[in-house]
Amino acid sequence: MRRTQVLLTALLALAGSVLADNIKLQQVDRKISLNSQFVRISETVKVKNVGSSAVSEVILCESLGGDAVLSFYKVVETSSKHALAVSPTTVADAPAEVACYSVKLANPLPAGETVGLTVTAVLANAQMPYPAEITQTDTQLMLYKGNVYVLSPYSVSSQTTEVALPSSTVKSYTEEKPVSKVDNKIKYGKYDLVKPFAVKELSVHFENNKPFKHVLTYVKEIEVSHWGNIYVEGKYEIKNAGAKHTGSFSRLKYGHMYNGKANSFRDLRAVLPSSAHSMYYVDLIGNISTSNVRKSLASTVLDFDLRYPLMGGWKVDFTIGYSVPLAGFLTSTKGGQRRLTMDLSSPLEDVFIEDMVVRVVLPEGSANIKASLPYDMEQSFDIKYTYLDTTGRPVLVLHKQNIAAPEHAAKFSVDYDFNKVHILREPLLLVGVFFALFVAVIAYNRMEFTITRDEKWEAARSKEVLATYMEQIQALLEDEATVLAGLTRATNQVRDAADVDAAQREKANVEKRLKDLEEKVKPLLLAVESRSVRVAAQVRDVLEKTRSLQGRYYKQLADRIDLVKKGTGMSEVSRKLAPGQDALNAAKRELEGLTTTVFGAY
Amino acid sequence: MTELSISSPVSPSLYPTLATVLLGSGLCMTGSFFLYEVTKTKSNRALRSELLLAFISALLLGFGTLFLLLWVGVYV
């Protein structure tokens, strides 16, 4: 067992050294751009396989000095422009502060062949302010420390390096011949036959008044509502990470300074989706009005100014939010899930984000939440309670550090299940609350709150019971009136002898129904009598008048039948019956008046 | 690979109309509920019709409030 272990390690060591021998970098052209707060390195590498077998992996390295952070690293095959898979690795004899990556080639490189690779790397915090503190009127000088030669585990046959600076003011730079400075470019090269990991410090001390915009913390919250809106809110804490400001700050002098204003900055730009609306730019104090919005087909550009200009080392915090409609962001996938696609990083241009948290708040009832991200991030879950929530909304929390603005602008998507029924949770909650209020009213009306039951309470109770009976009697009287109206209609339809039988049948029907109603009234009347004799007398009066009115109706019908049987014409019939009809109507009105008087109080 | 865009179950342009109509009719039903409560005497009340009126009013008011919230821009 031990012998195999020793053998394996020996083999690996051999493999390591073999790896370094069978690849040579024929030509490396490197461009280091110091033209902003980032150090952007672009290398075109020609890799030659000088070994005997095909090679599928190449190791490329970058030197990181001090606090530098490699926030972006991408390798592309020059001819096909295919991005290649890159994974961090360690190389045995690499010097300190070197980050190495193992690049997997698209096709294995046969012996004797060459392949061209293009490397893009973005370093943040690689420029040190030197001096570290400046006064208001000083210009900002930065110190960049790198390596003159391209650090590589392989030997490099020929290489050139070009350093691009923001201005032509350079205090000092490493003079390793051949070197030449033209305007704001320093050209190093060409160097032949450099050994692997040849270390020679490249140090450039130059003027860089570009703003060093660092976002210390950035929290982005995306809240999805299936009723038609996505809220996006970003909370920022921004710091000027350039040379620290020391001494006094004179607003007057600041206003009169030349256009550059050294390393201070106040303006920022955010590029938002084109359908963004309802934007707000606020901080703890309130709304900040120094902002401007331009809409175009491709995007919405928000130019905004901070509350005050940031000198070196100063910081400020604010919140920017907007809303977008669902169209273009929320789609349904083939598997029946819902997919939310949004921008992952900050919409701000040209910033370096030290700590970013993205919170995706999905509606209640979402399940099986999965995110597909363009780069590695820490994932966790949380719960948020907001409008009309019962169990809380699931929140997907993504966390990443050291993000450089333009390179990390990418979209991400979150897939989740959502049963359509869950969208009804909110309205049903509202319905439930209103219904509970009504039920409370119903319950209250059925409760008795008097403490002592004395005569006053008894009197009120008996009046209530009386009113109950009177209401019921009144309802029955109304039914009677309806029946009698039917009889009137039947009466008016008697035109000749043939209709008489129908009319007689109708009359018999009406008589029967009226009799039924009378039966129902009897017990009620007795009950009323037991409570109040006076009221009972009034009711009896009304019933008497009702009966006499019924008699008029019957007489009217009988008269009409007689006239029709005699064969009189219609106009004659109407004329003869008119006085009877008028008397009937008068009696009816009188009865209605009496009913209202007697029953109106109940 | 056509991905269907998801939208609200009710078109957002309908929110104002729905809110007004539902709230208006909800208030009318609430009115008739309270009229019923006040005019009918104790023994003549029927629990069934009370609960029916209450339920219809609650339904209309609840949905009306939801669409009112959505109309004003509080996308719940």
Side-chain angles (χ1 to χ4, degrees), chain A residues 60 73 85-91 99-103:
Chain A
L60 298 169
Y73 194 77
V86 163
S87 57
T89 178
T90 45
V91 177
C100 288
Y101 288 86
S102 167
V103 181

Side-chain angles (χ1 to χ4, degrees), chain A residues 71 102 111 118 133 198 212 235 264 266 286 298 314 362 373-374 389 432 474 506 538:
Chain A
S71 72
S102 167
T118 308
E133 290 184 355
F212 275 61
K235 287 192 168 67
S264 72
R266 193 177 174 186
W314 292 10
L362 297 169
L373 306 167
D389 278 346
Q474 190 176 19
E506 186 63 33
Q538 285 179 328

Side-chain angles (χ1 to χ4, degrees), chain A residues 530-559:
Chain A
S530 68
R531 300 270 162 184
S532 161
V533 176
R534 182 182 63 88
V535 176
Q538 285 179 328
V539 175
R540 264 187 240 279
D541 191 27
V542 170
L543 289 174
E544 278 296 321
K545 293 229 163 50
T546 319
R547 269 186 225 110
S548 74
L549 181 64
Q550 283 171 16
R552 283 182 198 269
Y553 272 95
Y554 293 146
K555 184 167 173 302
Q556 196 68 353
L557 178 63
D559 285 345

Side-chain angles (χ1 to χ4, degrees), chain A residues 445-475:
Chain A
N445 263 342
R446 281 172 162 64
M447 288 199 276
E448 186 62 58
F449 285 119
T450 50
I451 301 170
T452 47
R453 301 188 174 188
D454 55 1
E455 295 116 25
K456 243 205 260 178
W457 182 81
E458 287 287 354
R461 280 290 291 141
S462 69
K463 185 159 192 277
E464 261 189 68
V465 174
L466 185 62
T468 314
Y469 296 135
M470 295 295 272
E471 239 186 79
Q472 288 173 341
I473 296 174
Q474 190 176 19

Side-chain angles (χ1 to χ4, degrees), chain A residues 362-526:
Chain A
L362 297 169
E364 280 187 321
S366 308
N368 288 340
I369 301 171
K370 267 194 217 39
S372 65
L373 306 167
Y375 36 82
D376 260 329
M377 296 179 85
E378 276 170 39
Q379 298 189 28
S380 62
F381 284 95
D382 196 5
I383 293 214
K384 179 179 179 188
Y385 294 96
T386 180
Y387 301 110
L388 301 183
D389 278 346
T390 43
T391 54
R393 301 181 189 217
V395 182
L396 172 66
V397 183
L398 307 166
H399 180 227
K400 188 172 172 62
Q401 294 181 315
N402 298 331
I403 299 170
E407 284 81 15
H408 280 93
K411 287 197 191 289
F412 77 111
S413 62
V414 178
D415 289 349
Y416 61 99
D417 280 331
F418 187 77
N419 193 343
K420 282 211 183 120
V421 172
H422 289 297
I423 205 173
L424 284 176
R425 271 204 210 193
E426 292 132 359
L428 287 179
L429 176 70
L430 286 168
V431 171
V433 167
F434 280 112
F435 191 63
L437 281 173
F438 286 119
V439 167
V441 169
I442 294 173
Y444 174 79
N445 263 342
R446 281 172 162 64
M447 288 199 276
E448 186 62 58
F449 285 119
T450 50
I451 301 170
T452 47
R453 301 188 174 188
D454 55 1
E455 295 116 25
K456 243 205 260 178
W457 182 81
E458 287 287 354
R461 280 290 291 141
S462 69
K463 185 159 192 277
E464 261 189 68
V465 174
L466 185 62
T468 314
Y469 296 135
M470 295 295 272
E471 239 186 79
Q472 288 173 341
I473 296 174
Q474 190 176 19
L476 289 170
L477 286 176
E478 276 168 19
D479 288 342
E480 276 192 30
T482 318
V483 171
L484 287 174
L487 183 60
T488 313
R489 273 197 303 278
T491 309
N492 287 339
Q493 274 174 358
V494 175
R495 290 174 195 275
D496 49 43
D499 298 329
V500 172
D501 291 325
Q504 297 282 37
R505 276 201 299 276
E506 186 63 33
K507 182 179 171 219
N509 202 358
V510 164
E511 272 181 358
K512 189 166 112 24
R513 278 153 77 186
L514 286 178
K515 197 138 176 273
D516 286 338
L517 288 172
E518 290 245 0
E519 289 302 308
K520 284 195 189 140
V521 171
K522 277 213 185 84
L524 290 173
L525 187 55
L526 285 173

Side-chain angles (χ1 to χ4, degrees), chain A residues 75-251:
Chain A
V75 180
V76 163
E77 205 179 294
T78 319
S79 46
S80 62
K81 302 242 183 332
H82 276 148
L84 301 175
V86 163
S87 57
T89 178
T90 45
V91 177
D93 3 300
E97 294 177 342
V98 169
C100 288
Y101 288 86
S102 167
V103 181
K104 203 167 159 65
L105 295 171
N107 310 305
L109 187 64
E113 297 285 312
T114 58
V115 69
L117 303 173
T118 308
V119 179
T120 316
V122 175
L123 296 169
N125 293 341
Q127 300 179 36
M128 293 294 112
Y130 190 64
E133 290 184 355
I134 56 174
T135 64
Q136 184 181 346
T137 46
D138 288 342
T139 181
Q140 180 170 254
L141 299 169
M142 285 285 162
L143 183 64
Y144 168 68
K145 288 204 164 100
N147 205 51
V148 177
Y149 308 115
V150 173
L151 282 173
S152 162
Y154 321 114
S155 54
V156 185
S157 311
S158 153
Q159 59 174 290
T160 64
T161 299
E162 186 182 290
V163 180
L165 302 163
S167 76
S168 49
T169 315
V170 179
K171 289 277 186 229
S172 71
Y173 57 94
T174 308
E175 314 240 355
E176 175 81 3
K177 297 221 179 0
V179 65
S180 68
K181 175 175 176 300
V182 178
D183 234 359
N184 58 345
K185 282 193 179 35
I186 305 177
K187 287 191 174 48
Y188 287 88
K190 112 189 164 25
Y191 301 111
D192 294 323
L193 297 171
V194 176
K195 284 205 292 281
F197 289 131
V199 172
K200 175 85 178 128
E201 187 184 79
L202 164 66
S203 140
V204 184
H205 189 204
F206 60 103
E207 179 186 83
N208 185 356
N209 279 325
K210 299 280 170 171
F212 275 61
K213 303 176 186 173
H214 276 215
V215 176
L216 295 176
T217 54
Y218 171 48
V219 179
K220 177 175 186 169
E221 191 166 277
I222 301 171
E223 189 175 314
V224 178
S225 164
H226 285 135
W227 290 104
N229 197 53
I230 302 175
Y231 292 110
V232 181
E233 181 176 276
K235 287 192 168 67
Y236 299 83
E237 201 184 338
I238 287 203
K239 176 180 165 179
N240 184 338
K244 281 197 176 26
H245 173 252
T246 178
S248 62
F249 176 68
S250 159
R251 178 62 80 163

